[in-house]
Short mmCIF file of all heavy atoms in Angstrom, two decimals:
data_model
loop_
_atom_site.label_atom_id
_atom_site.label_comp_id
_atom_site.label_asym_id
_atom_site.label_seq_id
_atom_site.Cartn_x
_atom_site.Cartn_y
_atom_site.Cartn_z
N GLN A 302 10.59 -13.15 11.80
CA GLN A 302 11.34 -12.97 13.06
C GLN A 302 12.72 -12.39 12.78
O GLN A 302 13.18 -11.49 13.49
CB GLN A 302 11.49 -14.31 13.78
CG GLN A 302 10.22 -14.73 14.52
CD GLN A 302 10.16 -16.22 14.81
OE1 GLN A 302 11.17 -16.93 14.64
NE2 GLN A 302 9.01 -16.70 15.21
N GLN A 303 13.35 -12.90 11.73
CA GLN A 303 14.68 -12.36 11.37
C GLN A 303 14.56 -10.89 10.99
O GLN A 303 15.37 -10.05 11.38
CB GLN A 303 15.26 -13.14 10.19
CG GLN A 303 15.86 -14.46 10.63
CD GLN A 303 16.13 -15.40 9.45
OE1 GLN A 303 15.76 -15.11 8.31
NE2 GLN A 303 16.76 -16.53 9.72
N GLY A 304 13.51 -10.57 10.22
CA GLY A 304 13.28 -9.19 9.79
C GLY A 304 13.11 -8.29 11.01
O GLY A 304 13.68 -7.19 11.08
N ALA A 305 12.32 -8.76 12.01
CA ALA A 305 12.08 -7.97 13.22
C ALA A 305 13.39 -7.72 13.97
O ALA A 305 13.62 -6.64 14.49
CB ALA A 305 11.06 -8.67 14.10
N GLN A 306 14.23 -8.74 14.01
CA GLN A 306 15.52 -8.59 14.71
C GLN A 306 16.39 -7.52 14.05
O GLN A 306 17.00 -6.68 14.72
CB GLN A 306 16.28 -9.91 14.71
CG GLN A 306 15.92 -10.77 15.91
CD GLN A 306 16.52 -12.16 15.81
OE1 GLN A 306 17.44 -12.38 15.03
NE2 GLN A 306 15.98 -13.08 16.57
N GLU A 307 16.42 -7.56 12.72
CA GLU A 307 17.22 -6.56 12.00
C GLU A 307 16.64 -5.17 12.20
O GLU A 307 17.37 -4.19 12.42
CB GLU A 307 17.24 -6.89 10.50
CG GLU A 307 18.13 -8.07 10.15
CD GLU A 307 18.07 -8.36 8.67
OE1 GLU A 307 18.40 -7.47 7.87
OE2 GLU A 307 17.66 -9.48 8.31
N ALA A 308 15.30 -5.07 12.13
CA ALA A 308 14.64 -3.77 12.32
C ALA A 308 14.93 -3.25 13.73
O ALA A 308 15.19 -2.06 13.92
CB ALA A 308 13.14 -3.91 12.07
N LYS A 309 14.87 -4.16 14.71
CA LYS A 309 15.08 -3.76 16.11
C LYS A 309 16.45 -3.14 16.34
O LYS A 309 16.59 -2.21 17.13
CB LYS A 309 14.93 -4.99 17.01
CG LYS A 309 13.63 -5.01 17.75
CD LYS A 309 13.61 -6.18 18.70
CE LYS A 309 12.18 -6.63 18.88
NZ LYS A 309 12.03 -7.84 19.61
N LYS A 310 17.45 -3.68 15.66
CA LYS A 310 18.82 -3.14 15.84
C LYS A 310 18.83 -1.64 15.52
O LYS A 310 19.42 -0.84 16.24
CB LYS A 310 19.79 -3.87 14.90
CG LYS A 310 20.29 -5.17 15.45
CD LYS A 310 21.35 -5.73 14.52
CE LYS A 310 21.22 -7.23 14.43
NZ LYS A 310 21.75 -7.81 13.20
N ILE A 311 18.16 -1.28 14.43
CA ILE A 311 18.13 0.15 14.04
C ILE A 311 17.24 0.92 15.02
O ILE A 311 17.58 1.99 15.50
CB ILE A 311 17.58 0.31 12.60
CG1 ILE A 311 18.30 -0.63 11.62
CG2 ILE A 311 17.67 1.77 12.14
CD1 ILE A 311 17.67 -0.71 10.24
N ALA A 312 16.06 0.32 15.33
CA ALA A 312 15.07 0.99 16.17
C ALA A 312 15.63 1.30 17.57
O ALA A 312 15.44 2.40 18.09
CB ALA A 312 13.82 0.12 16.27
N GLN A 313 16.33 0.31 18.14
CA GLN A 313 16.83 0.51 19.51
C GLN A 313 17.87 1.63 19.56
O GLN A 313 17.95 2.38 20.52
CB GLN A 313 17.41 -0.80 20.04
CG GLN A 313 16.28 -1.74 20.45
CD GLN A 313 16.73 -3.15 20.80
OE1 GLN A 313 17.87 -3.52 20.53
NE2 GLN A 313 15.84 -3.93 21.34
N LYS A 314 18.67 1.72 18.50
CA LYS A 314 19.67 2.78 18.43
C LYS A 314 19.00 4.15 18.43
O LYS A 314 19.42 5.08 19.13
CB LYS A 314 20.51 2.60 17.15
CG LYS A 314 21.99 2.59 17.38
CD LYS A 314 22.69 2.19 16.13
CE LYS A 314 23.78 3.19 15.85
NZ LYS A 314 24.39 3.02 14.54
N THR A 315 17.94 4.27 17.63
CA THR A 315 17.24 5.56 17.55
C THR A 315 16.59 5.90 18.89
O THR A 315 16.70 7.03 19.37
CB THR A 315 16.15 5.52 16.45
OG1 THR A 315 16.73 5.07 15.24
CG2 THR A 315 15.51 6.88 16.24
N ILE A 316 15.92 4.91 19.50
CA ILE A 316 15.25 5.17 20.78
C ILE A 316 16.27 5.61 21.83
O ILE A 316 16.03 6.55 22.60
CB ILE A 316 14.47 3.91 21.26
CG1 ILE A 316 13.21 3.72 20.42
CG2 ILE A 316 14.14 3.99 22.75
CD1 ILE A 316 12.08 4.73 20.65
N SER A 317 17.42 4.97 21.84
CA SER A 317 18.45 5.33 22.81
C SER A 317 18.89 6.79 22.60
O SER A 317 19.02 7.55 23.56
CB SER A 317 19.60 4.34 22.64
OG SER A 317 20.67 4.73 23.41
#
Side-chain angles (χ1 to χ4, degrees):
Q302 282 159 11
Q303 281 166 353
Q306 271 172 17
E307 286 178 59
K309 256 185 209 172
K310 276 186 218 155
I311 310 170
Q313 283 171 349
K314 232 171 130 189
T315 308
I316 286 289
S317 172

